[in-house]
Structure formats: C-alpha cells, structure tokens
Amino acid sequence: MNWDFSSATLNEGAKKIIDARLLPIVKDGVAVFIESHTDMRGTKKENQELSDRRAKAVTDYLISKGINATQLFAKGFGESRLLNKCADGVVCSESEHAVNRRTTFRVINQK
C-alpha cells in the first residue's frame, strides 16, 4: 500500500487494503512483518522517523481490529530501499516518488 506525501496517517484506501488483504490472514494467527518506506525527499533522519511512524500506524490499526500485538513486527526503513532511480540528486515525477512511499507486508507462518 502507498502513502500520501509526508503522511503517516492511514487513508481510507489504505484501510480498505489492510481490511481486505491483510486482516483475514492475521486473524488466522500468522505473524506479519510490516515494512514501511519513504521517498528520498527530506533528510535521512526525517525519513527514518516518518517510516517508523507509518509502520506504527499500521500496527496500531491492526491492534484496534483485535489482532494480538505479538503477531506484528514493524520496522521503518526510511529511504534506504528505493524501488527506482529516485535517489538524492535525481529529478523524478510525483508518480515516481509515490512508488517509494509504501508499506509492504511479509507473512510468517507460525505453525
């Protein structure tokens, strides 16, 4: 799922993705790694903090839906794992930057 620029607030689209795709899986008792990322705009420190807040926002949302916190492992990666050429000093379009503002989910089978 993708994030609005400089935001760590889950929008309705993000909630729908979590509710439809992730919630049914974690309700079965599996654990999940929540990995949040930013684009390169802003300082490395600001982006690390933003990605940490994004990971926490997803975790808090899942807990509010009844998921046990012990199933959730969240980490922010800031701008360290860009998916495209949009690093410092490279001119990119808004849509190219948006690709990097994401949270991914990696399911772990606990059984």
Side-chain angles (χ1 to χ4, degrees):
M1 61 174 239
N2 291 88
W3 294 88
D4 296 329
F5 175 69
S6 196
S7 175
T9 302
L10 288 170
N11 61 34
E12 290 307 309
K15 289 178 183 178
K16 286 180 182 177
I17 289 169
I18 293 169
D19 291 347
R21 297 183 186 169
L22 184 60
L23 204 51
I25 296 167
V26 292
K27 280 189 173 181
D28 283 341
V30 298
V32 66
F33 280 113
I34 299 160
E35 301 174 343
S36 290
H37 309 269
T38 67
D39 61 31
M40 52 62 73
R41 294 177 291 181
T43 68
K44 289 190 184 323
K45 182 178 186 233
E46 289 167 340
N47 286 334
Q48 182 60 53
E49 291 169 355
L50 177 58
S51 66
D52 289 340
R53 289 194 314 272
R54 288 175 173 173
K56 184 176 179 344
V58 174
T59 300
D60 290 347
Y61 181 74
L62 288 167
I63 291 169
S64 79
K65 293 288 188 170
I67 301 305
N68 189 319
T70 62
Q71 293 173 248
L72 307 173
F73 302 91
K75 181 168 175 55
F77 290 92
E79 62 184 78
S80 67
R81 295 185 175 180
L82 300 175
L83 294 177
N84 56 24
K85 65 180 171 82
C86 298
D88 290 337
V90 177
V91 177
C92 289
S93 69
E94 181 55 35
S95 62
E96 288 173 313
H97 284 301
V99 167
N100 291 312
R101 296 191 309 263
R102 69 198 187 281
T103 293
T104 58
F105 309 102
R106 211 162 22 103
V107 175
I108 307 159
N109 188 349
Q110 286 186 318
K111 298 176 182 180

